[in-house]
Amino acid sequence: MTLLMEIFFAVLGAAIGSFLNVLIHRLPEEKSIIFPPSRCPRCGKAIRFYDNIPVISYILLRGRCRDCGERIAFRYPLVEAITAVFSLLLFWKYGVTFQWLVSFAFVCALIVITFIDLDHQIIPDVISLPGIPIFLLAAVFVMKLRFLDAFLGFLIGGGCLYVIAFVYELLTKREGMGGGDIKLLAMIGAFLGWQSLLFVLLCSSLLGAVVGIAVMLAKGQDMKYAVPFGPFLSAAAAAYIFIGDAVMRLILHGA
């Protein structure tokens, strides 16, 4: 029975990941996420239902459109696989509970934000702004986080990045962090609480520095090359769900 449940949650995650791909593609262009059905961007043919099976169809089609042979971006099965993995990991952590549901919804929001930010260097307000009150309430009533902890997470999360962005722009005369990152960290703090913010900021800054320097060296760019910060905030927030408490205890108490 446990194995069947694990398979179910992995398959469910992959199926939802397929929908996340629709959001990632259409939200930045302000298109309907319902109509028209998914179709090949080159030949315009609607994708058949048996060609829309998460991950498996990509493998069977060898990454190409059945009708015109256009290459299908690897991002599609990647998003589906990532969503499946998180669905399973959260099932292992929370079981069949409302905690799984709201945590999975939170991670799905982070996945969509990550790939949109990578593609377009924007974090859509349509996710982060309603996400702040929705995930704050979910944190309080489902995750049993104290309201004060969630509310302070929202205030401190958004406030600290706002101050950093303001000071950076004041000193350098150029924008170093967008408003989307500020709203994203406010949403993260609202759901995970103010106690999560040190871990999220440290982890995301470390990841951002390592990846940013590597990308700039690979592309031959200088230090002014813009690297979106949203994916690193999202990765750190997802990591906090699983290892954040243990890491912070290790850092603060050495045990």
Side-chain angles (χ1 to χ4, degrees), residues 66-77:
R66 180 182 295 274
D67 295 294
C68 69
E70 174 75 357
R71 183 171 294 279
I72 302 169
F74 181 68
R75 188 198 72 199
Y76 290 97

Side-chain angles (χ1 to χ4, degrees), residues 103-244:
S103 296
F104 183 58
F106 177 70
V107 169
C108 285
L110 296 179
I111 291 171
V112 173
I113 285 170
T114 292
F115 283 90
I116 290 178
D117 202 13
L118 287 172
D119 287 345
H120 302 278
Q121 287 73 57
I122 60 170
I123 296 176
D125 288 346
V126 70
I127 297 177
S128 57
L129 287 182
I132 292 172
I134 289 172
F135 288 119
L136 187 151
L137 293 174
V140 173
F141 291 106
V142 179
M143 306 305 291
K144 304 306 179 184
L145 190 69
R146 292 195 312 161
F147 175 80
L148 181 60
D149 291 339
F151 187 70
L152 286 176
F154 153 65
L155 286 181
I156 298 172
C160 69
L161 277 196
Y162 177 81
V163 170
I164 291 171
F166 177 79
V167 172
Y168 181 87
E169 187 171 353
L170 189 66
L171 295 175
T172 64
K173 307 302 180 184
R174 58 190 178 92
E175 185 178 359
M177 186 171 297
D181 296 319
I182 296 170
K183 286 171 273 192
L184 172 58
L185 191 57
M187 184 185 85
I188 290 170
F191 185 67
L192 300 179
W194 67 269
Q195 300 92 333
S196 70
L197 295 175
L198 179 59
F199 174 92
V200 171
L201 285 171
L202 286 175
C203 184
S204 59
S205 298
L206 178 60
L207 285 172
V210 172
V211 174
I213 291 171
V215 170
M216 285 186 286
L217 290 175
K219 292 181 175 290
Q221 302 284 343
D222 60 22
M223 295 301 290
K224 295 181 180 179
Y225 182 73
V227 176
F229 193 48
F232 304 113
L233 287 172
S234 298
Y240 182 84
I241 295 174
F242 301 100
I243 63 171

